[in-house]
Amino acid sequence: MNEHRKRAAGPPDEYVEAEIHRLLTEDPDVAEQGITVVRRERGLVLYGEVESPHRREEILRRVAERFPDVPISSDIGVIRTQAPTQIEQLP
C-alpha cells in the first residue's frame, strides 16, 4: 500500500504514458491516433482534437477506468464537424 501512495503522489512514469497512448490507438472502441499524452509534474495531460464532446468524454472515461490512480487532465478540443455554410470559391 505504501508503494501505491508513492506512485499516486509523484508524476506517472513513461510506462504509464506509453500504456495510455497504446490504449488510445489500439483499443478498437477508441482508435484515436490524434491524442498526445504528455507527462507533467502532477499527472498526465491529454492533448488533441476529437469530433464531439461525447467522444472526448468517452476517451477520458476509458482512460480513468483503466488507470484510476493516475491524475489525468484534458486539453482535448472538439473540431467542427458541421458542413461549411458558405461555398469556397477557388481562383
Side-chain angles (χ1 to χ4, degrees), residues 10 16 26 32-33 38 41 51-52 60 64 72 86:
V16 173
E26 295 178 3
E32 195 65 61
Q33 296 182 1
V38 178
E41 186 176 319
E51 69 274 3
S52 72
L60 295 173
I72 303 287
Q86 299 177 346

Side-chain angles (χ1 to χ4, degrees), residues 18-90:
E19 285 213 23
I20 290 174
H21 190 262
R22 193 170 14 263
L23 168 73
L24 294 172
T25 58
E26 295 178 3
D27 183 324
D29 292 330
V30 178
E32 195 65 61
Q33 296 182 1
I35 304 295
T36 305
V37 182
V38 178
R39 269 185 298 147
R40 294 289 183 226
E41 186 176 319
R42 298 196 178 265
L44 296 173
V45 181
L46 304 181
Y47 291 99
E49 293 184 334
V50 294
E51 69 274 3
S52 72
H54 174 73
R55 179 81 172 146
R56 176 179 52 207
E57 293 307 314
E58 181 63 18
I59 288 168
L60 295 173
R61 184 188 68 76
R62 286 183 171 270
V63 170
E65 190 176 84
R66 174 80 166 78
F67 301 93
D69 296 331
V70 177
I72 303 287
S73 298
S74 170
D75 195 6
I76 300 175
V78 177
I79 58 174
R80 184 182 70 160
T81 58
Q82 302 165 352
T85 57
Q86 299 177 346
I87 297 173
E88 181 179 3
Q89 298 290 331
L90 299 176

